[in-house]
Amino acid sequence: VQLQASGGGLVQPGGSLRLSCAASGSIFSINYAAWYRQAPGKQRELVAHITRGGSANYGDSMKGRLTISRDDAKNTVYLQMNSLKPEDTAVYLCTAGIIQFGSDERAYWGQGTQVTVSS
């Protein structure tokens, strides 16, 4: 199983980005999925989390500016980020609890995608 994060880039303050996290491989189901971010010199922090049933929770730092969603048919999780600020600049990483056929749930991490908010 691999997780591929994409959609990052350079955006001006106040702009928007949509990140994607696509899971590939022999997948029976994706339970939870989440986005974290890590800025230089700072601890990794939870940005958003979504359950198998679609219930979402958001970290305090970006609450109100995010929407996390999932498309189980595509094994993909999305993170819509609006009203971006320079302090949102970080590497955004996705993780998911995935069950493969005949196996228990295991956590996987993607490689991260860089988001830079700057004028």
Side-chain angles (χ1 to χ4, degrees):
V1 173
Q2 289 188 329
L3 293 181
Q4 181 70 44
S6 61
L10 174 64
V11 63
Q12 291 187 340
S16 299
L17 282 174
R18 188 194 194 203
L19 306 183
S20 298
C21 178
S24 60
S26 179
I27 297 169
F28 175 70
S29 67
I30 298 175
N31 283 349
Y32 70 89
W35 288 92
Y36 285 77
R37 69 180 185 181
Q38 186 155 24
K42 295 186 178 181
Q43 288 189 333
R44 184 174 296 183
E45 64 172 329
L46 176 67
V47 173
H49 177 279
I50 189 166
T51 67
R52 178 174 175 78
S55 296
N57 289 288
Y58 300 98
D60 290 338
S61 60
M62 299 186 74
K63 191 174 290 184
R65 299 186 287 128
L66 300 175
T67 302
I68 187 171
S69 61
R70 57 190 290 165
D71 184 338
D72 290 334
K74 296 181 179 180
N75 287 332
T76 300
V77 176
Y78 303 98
L79 184 68
Q80 178 68 42
M81 306 189 296
N82 301 320
S83 302
L84 286 164
K85 306 174 182 179
E87 52 264 42
D88 296 322
T89 295
V91 174
Y92 285 72
L93 305 108
C94 63
T95 182
I98 295 174
I99 299 176
Q100 292 189 276
F101 293 96
S103 298
D104 295 330
E105 178 184 310
R106 176 185 165 187
Y108 292 86
W109 286 84
Q111 86 289 359
T113 184
Q114 176 71 45
V115 172
T116 302
V117 185
S118 175
S119 55

